[in-house]
Amino acid sequence: MKIEQAIWLDEQHELLLEELCELSGLSETELRELVDFGALAPTDPDARRWTFGADRLVVARSAFRLRKDFDLDPIGVALVVTLLERVRELEAELRDLRAKLPGGQR
Amino acid sequence: MKYKDYYRVMGVDRKASADEIKSVYRKLARKYHPDVSKEPGAEEKFKELGEAYETLKDPEKRAAYDQLGSHRPGQEFRPPPGWEQQFGDGKFSFDDIDLGDLFSGMTGGIHRAGRGGKVRMPGQDYEVTAHITLEDAYRGTEVDLELAVPEYDENGFPHRVQRAFKARIPKGATDGQRLRLPGKGGKGLNGGRDGDLYLNIVLHPHRLFRVSGHDLFLDLPLAPWEAVLGTNVQVPTLGGPVQLKIPPGTHAGRQLRLAGRGLPKPHGGEGDLFAIVQIAVPTVTSERERALFKELDEASAFNPRGHFEQEAAK
């Protein structure tokens, strides 16, 4: 059986704006709105062609699903994904603190 | 074809208005949407809900669905004759067709998804959670994946095809890591690109090590005298046991760092392993041990609660 190679979705890999659109399903306008509303940041906002860390694809896909499934407007989508990112960060921080706590997972 | 009761999935009456269906959908989506839900089995429930709503929100699809009549969920049924004619030659078999795939391929009434439209459609993306052990993450591993993906035959009908393949997870993965397998999702339509498969890595809890990014944490119990006198201990790591020097006067809670003994990072380098010192107290003591502790008690001027007294004297 052929073994498929998986690609890391992390900030070390970069995606062009067009690639992020194609892979997430978002239109370029929707993606630029997410950047305007602070929900997504390109690696260098001053660059002529925007690139994004591949980990941003997770956020962009989430934005696409939320927009489609809840019929949200752009500011609503931006607000939800920003808060979801914050929750993810806090959960990661909590996990890290628990790991450092002697005596176990709690 | 197996029947699916979309009204029952949504918990609405067959006569429910479009507004009612929308409102129920929103409430249930809020509860089960995988991006916002913590409910167990939310993903599966949302998939069913999404499929039901996709058909019931569209008046034409809903009318076509209602023509099928009402059956028990999962019951095999044959669509009414009108249906088969609309689909073409009437020789067509609906046996292995998924009702949801059929409706999702419909736009503007019943027609074949493939032949009816020439719009390029990207294949569907899929998300799969891969549970792996810490040892697998350390060494890299292969996971077996199975997906039931709709593929379109020459007439444009969607058939569920079971696809099995192995995916290589390179070393360097950690909890919550995402990976992408390009083109391993659903087939694109009319020249559209194939969908992707996204892997979400979840690490099984380990009996000894706790994970924080690429760093590992390990509880290291020491006997009171080991902590006071210092010693050399053997410590397990994912790469095999190593010797660790415990300096004299090591107190509980101190973190001893074993550089580079954590998880490898995807682009080179490794995390660290931290051994967190705990002072373990023997529960069963022999007469001789008790006598020695007693002697220590009398000989020692050590007051571990000196700061309490200083505080009280203020």
Side-chain angles (χ1 to χ4, degrees):
Chain A
M1 195 187 287
K2 190 174 169 254
I3 297 170
E4 304 297 330
Q5 296 297 323
I7 302 171
W8 299 108
L9 291 185
D10 60 15
E11 61 278 11
Q12 303 262 357
H13 286 91
E14 295 214 320
L15 296 171
L16 290 168
L17 177 81
E18 305 85 78
E19 291 175 312
L20 192 59
C21 287
E22 189 183 4
L23 295 178
S24 67
L26 291 171
S27 69
E28 192 177 323
T29 312
E30 287 171 323
L31 217 123
R32 287 187 183 277
E33 276 168 342
L34 284 177
V35 173
D36 280 347
F37 293 139
L40 266 184
T43 317
D44 174 12
D46 298 325
R48 206 169 49 83
R49 294 187 77 186
W50 274 355
T51 59
F52 296 81
D55 58 328
R56 299 296 87 194
L57 179 55
V58 177
V59 181
R61 280 171 44 77
S62 182
F64 174 77
R65 284 190 297 255
L66 291 162
R67 205 254 300 130
K68 178 170 69 74
D69 297 334
F70 288 102
D71 213 2
L72 294 178
D73 63 7
I75 187 80
V77 174
L79 188 66
V80 177
V81 295
T82 306
L83 291 175
L84 282 179
E85 270 292 277
R86 186 92 190 102
V87 171
R88 248 171 255 155
E89 280 165 21
L90 289 172
E91 279 174 347
E93 211 169 300
L94 195 63
R95 201 169 53 215
D96 291 355
L97 286 173
R98 278 177 182 162
K100 286 169 191 163
L101 220 56
Q105 313 272 2
R106 296 296 126 210
Chain B
M1 192 153 46
K2 280 196 170 57
Y3 187 71
K4 295 182 187 179
D5 192 338
Y6 290 153
Y7 291 101
R8 189 146 130 183
V9 167
M10 292 195 67
V12 293
D13 191 80
R14 293 186 81 87
K15 293 190 191 70
S17 70
D19 281 348
E20 221 173 300
I21 286 172
K22 185 174 181 177
S23 145
V24 167
Y25 167 77
R26 290 193 145 197
K27 264 185 217 149
L28 291 173
R30 167 66 199 90
K31 195 170 175 195
Y32 294 121
H33 197 282
D35 284 294
V36 294
S37 177
K38 291 263 176 229
E39 299 262 341
E43 206 168 333
E44 206 41 53
K45 284 206 176 104
F46 186 74
K47 217 186 273 172
E48 287 177 10
L49 174 67
E51 184 183 322
Y53 184 59
E54 195 60 35
T55 296
L56 297 187
K57 76 171 180 187
D58 179 318
E60 284 187 68
K61 287 187 191 180
R62 187 177 174 186
Y65 175 76
D66 286 345
Q67 277 181 28
L68 301 176
S70 181
H71 309 267
R72 269 186 295 109
Q75 189 188 344
E76 286 289 345
F77 75 104
R78 293 201 64 76
W83 257 60
E84 305 211 346
Q85 258 149 39
Q86 288 197 62
F87 273 100
D89 49 24
K91 275 181 261 157
F92 184 75
S93 160
F94 280 94
D95 288 356
D96 65 341
I97 288 191
D98 181 272
L99 196 58
D101 293 342
L102 197 61
F103 277 106
S104 74
M106 262 184 206
T107 40
I110 301 167
H111 72 237
R112 295 170 197 189
R115 200 188 267 170
K118 280 282 168 250
V119 188
R120 279 159 63 140
M121 291 268 287
Q124 203 187 328
D125 291 338
Y126 288 84
E127 267 191 43
V128 173
T129 299
H131 295 266
I132 64 170
T133 65
L134 197 53
E135 286 82 359
D136 286 342
Y138 181 76
R139 284 186 294 260
T141 188
E142 281 154 21
V143 288
D144 289 306
L145 297 167
E146 259 187 61
L147 273 184
V149 176
E151 280 185 11
Y152 296 86
D153 62 21
E154 67 273 21
N155 293 316
F157 283 102
H159 297 268
R160 282 282 160 127
V161 178
Q162 198 74 21
R163 271 210 239 142
F165 52 93
K166 274 185 190 298
R168 171 107 198 123
I169 298 176
K171 69 177 183 180
T174 185
D175 218 20
Q177 177 79 54
R178 308 289 185 109
L179 295 139
R180 180 176 152 242
L181 289 151
K184 298 314 286 182
K187 285 257 169 275
L189 216 58
N190 301 320
R193 70 174 184 90
D194 292 343
D196 297 328
L197 178 65
Y198 289 89
L199 278 182
N200 183 14
I201 305 291
V202 173
L203 294 180
H204 286 299
H206 194 274
R207 291 178 312 284
L208 293 176
F209 303 109
R210 299 187 295 276
V211 184
S212 166
H214 290 87
D215 291 336
L216 299 176
F217 290 82
L218 166 77
D219 288 335
L220 175 66
L222 295 176
W225 48 92
E226 287 176 329
V228 173
L229 302 173
T231 182
N232 280 311
V233 293
Q234 188 171 296
V235 172
T237 75
L238 289 174
V242 296
Q243 289 292 318
L244 178 65
K245 190 175 154 51
I246 309 296
T250 295
H251 54 80
R254 183 161 170 191
Q255 293 186 4
L256 301 164
R257 176 166 164 262
L258 289 94
R261 298 284 181 179
L263 288 173
K265 294 179 182 172
H267 307 283
E270 303 84 17
D272 300 327
L273 169 63
F274 293 89
I276 308 174
V277 171
Q278 290 182 323
I279 308 296
V281 175
T283 47
V284 182
T285 46
S286 65
E287 275 302 311
R288 169 141 165 80
E289 281 171 305
R290 283 179 59 83
L292 286 170
F293 273 117
K294 199 115 183 119
E295 203 182 321
L296 182 61
D297 183 24
E298 281 154 18
S300 176
F302 176 53
N303 179 4
R305 293 169 300 281
H307 60 296
F308 284 5
E309 284 152 32
Q310 280 167 21
E311 201 60 36
K314 272 180 193 167

